[in-house]
Amino acid sequence: METERTTLRLESFPLEQNREVNTTLSRMETYSPSFIYQDTLKYQRSSLNSNQSNLSADTISRYGRTDSYGKAVRGQSRKSLNENREPRGMTGRAMIGFYNIFFWISGAAVFSLGVSSLLDLHTKELSNLFQVELISYHPAAPVLYWLHLGLLLDGAVVFLTGFFGCWSSIHENSLSTSMYLLLVLLCCVGEISLAILAVICRDKSIQVLETEVMAKLQVEYNVEGFASFSRSLDLMQAKFECCGLHGQQDYASSAWQREVGGLDGGQQLSLPLTCCVLSNKIELTGFLDPAPADLAGCQDVSVSTVISRYEDGCLDRLVNWGSHQFITVAGVSVGCFLLHSLGVILTCCLLHKLRRPAF
């Protein structure tokens, strides 16, 4: 009788199943008429006993004799792979670390822009002319000053977040990566809010600039108690080389002329000294102590001259300067938002890899 030989993979059977195979082999040996086949069965049985004896004491104590040998082997293999595997998200962490270089640069640049704008005397003084009533029944606020302060704070937060991002990219920790993602999201929200606020305030301030500044010029310029507005208007005229909002006629009906007769430092003036061509106009604080090159020719309003005084109005030049400031804040904020949005995407990818099971 022809018998088909089959190779049994005994090592994949549980130990209890191995015992059943052993019993089956014994029965086959008893009833098989072939002596050669009996030798084959004896060889298979010896292989079975050898496999069982090779099971280590550590494996037996860990999994028990009733568990499968294959499970023990898989457990030992998994342990070996865990010890030798590459850390999860290694590529993503390297990309986050490289990205943080640009993150730092953007934070430092925005912080520097905010600091320079707040410390610049001319920007600070001219910002006082752009005031917007953001909340009803509340005094108008110098929105340009607050926008520059917002840039400073955003730059500081971004710069510090960059350090935290480097620390989280070094450690294989999903919690620190989640915190870094939250900080980057907060930076993005702050930047897009700054951009929207800059656009809104630009439109509102330009709409009311002419009426508000003109009303203050008529009432507050060179009047005691309103030194801040007077400094800002003097700087506007000296910096942009102009006089009044629409021209020198703006001062004819002002409170300065009506109530004090144009007195300024003991001098009887028809126009502010900053409407004159100044010999010290290149000085940073020249508008605070103006020195006209030709005082008599400047104050003679009966004669039109461009040699000794400025006759053009300042409104268009002031609007252009303010628009540039608002657009700069909005543009910087949008640029940082786009750059940091890339950081959000990279961090989300890294977080997904860190939370994914190893097997």
Side-chain angles (χ1 to χ4, degrees):
M1 179 178 129
E2 184 178 356
T3 305
E4 182 180 358
R5 295 186 178 182
T6 304
T7 304
L8 299 176
R9 300 184 62 184
L10 301 177
E11 64 273 11
S12 63
F13 291 144
L15 296 181
E16 290 183 350
Q17 293 179 358
N18 287 347
R19 295 191 185 95
E20 294 177 2
V21 172
N22 216 344
T23 304
T24 303
L25 291 176
S26 299
R27 293 174 181 174
M28 292 174 66
E29 181 181 358
T30 302
Y31 295 103
S32 175
S34 174
F35 178 76
I36 297 176
Y37 190 60
Q38 290 179 9
D39 289 343
T40 302
L41 293 176
K42 289 180 180 180
Y43 173 75
Q44 296 283 7
R45 178 183 294 173
S46 64
S47 298
L48 172 64
N49 296 332
S50 175
N51 287 332
Q52 292 179 1
S53 62
N54 288 336
L55 193 61
S56 65
D58 179 66
T59 303
I60 294 172
S61 63
R62 182 178 301 175
Y63 298 101
R65 286 203 174 267
T66 59
D67 210 341
S68 67
Y69 176 69
K71 183 176 180 180
V73 171
R74 287 194 300 272
Q76 291 177 348
S77 300
R78 185 179 291 110
K79 179 181 178 182
S80 176
L81 288 174
N82 285 337
E83 292 175 350
N84 298 323
R85 72 178 176 86
E86 181 182 355
R88 288 179 296 169
M90 191 66 183
T91 303
R93 287 157 57 193
M95 292 182 65
I96 290 293
F98 180 73
Y99 166 79
N100 270 293
I101 297 176
F102 299 96
F103 201 82
W104 269 330
I105 292 175
S106 66
V110 173
F111 181 80
S112 300
L113 177 62
V115 170
S116 62
S117 299
L118 291 175
L119 294 181
D120 183 67
L121 178 61
H122 289 186
T123 303
K124 182 180 178 181
E125 291 292 345
L126 289 176
S127 296
N128 292 330
L129 298 176
F130 293 86
Q131 301 205 12
V132 176
E133 186 178 329
L134 297 175
I135 304 175
S136 300
Y137 308 107
H138 281 261
V143 289
L144 263 179
Y145 172 82
W146 292 109
L147 288 173
H148 291 148
L149 183 60
L151 285 180
L152 184 149
L153 295 176
D154 178 68
V157 172
V158 168
F159 194 76
L160 294 177
T161 303
F163 284 101
F164 189 79
C166 286
W167 180 82
S168 64
S169 64
I170 294 174
H171 296 79
E172 189 178 343
N173 189 331
S174 60
L175 178 60
S176 61
T177 306
S178 300
M179 293 180 65
Y180 173 69
L181 175 62
L182 178 61
L183 290 174
V184 177
L185 284 173
L186 288 176
C187 291
C188 290
V189 171
E191 287 154 1
I192 200 64
S193 300
L194 272 177
I196 294 174
L197 188 62
V199 173
I200 294 175
C201 290
R202 171 185 175 271
D203 295 336
K204 293 188 68 174
S205 63
I206 290 176
Q207 289 175 2
V208 301
L209 180 65
E210 182 177 4
T211 56
E212 292 290 332
V213 175
M214 189 62 188
K216 288 185 176 182
L217 184 150
Q218 293 293 319
V219 176
E220 298 179 6
Y221 180 75
N222 263 357
V223 175
E224 186 177 356
F226 300 100
S228 177
F229 175 78
S230 299
R231 286 197 311 269
S232 298
L233 209 62
D234 283 334
L235 172 61
M236 175 190 73
Q237 295 174 153
K239 181 179 181 67
F240 300 138
E241 298 182 349
C242 52
C243 186
L245 281 184
H246 306 99
Q248 63 186 25
Q249 66 274 12
D250 291 346
Y251 292 100
S253 58
S254 66
W256 173 54
Q257 287 290 337
R258 294 195 315 268
E259 297 177 7
V260 297
L263 285 177
D264 187 1
Q267 295 177 308
Q268 194 77 22
L269 303 176
S270 301
L271 298 172
L273 293 178
T274 49
C275 285
C276 305
V277 175
L278 304 179
S279 58
N280 61 341
K281 64 180 180 180
I282 61 174
E283 297 179 9
L284 181 64
T285 58
F287 68 98
L288 297 176
D289 186 21
D294 182 8
L295 180 60
C298 172
Q299 296 300 315
D300 187 3
V301 294
S302 61
V303 179
S304 178
T305 177
V306 294
I307 299 176
S308 55
R309 71 170 177 267
Y310 310 120
E311 295 189 338
D312 294 333
C314 300
L315 180 61
D316 292 339
R317 300 173 192 181
L318 182 62
V319 168
N320 291 336
W321 180 88
S323 297
H324 175 74
Q325 294 294 318
F326 285 112
I327 291 173
T328 299
V329 173
V332 169
S333 300
V334 170
C336 290
F337 171 77
L338 295 177
L339 177 63
H340 299 161
S341 296
L342 176 61
V344 171
I345 297 173
L346 292 176
T347 308
C348 287
C349 294
L350 174 60
L351 196 59
H352 174 70
K353 291 182 179 180
L354 291 177
R355 289 181 173 178
R356 187 175 58 187
F359 292 94

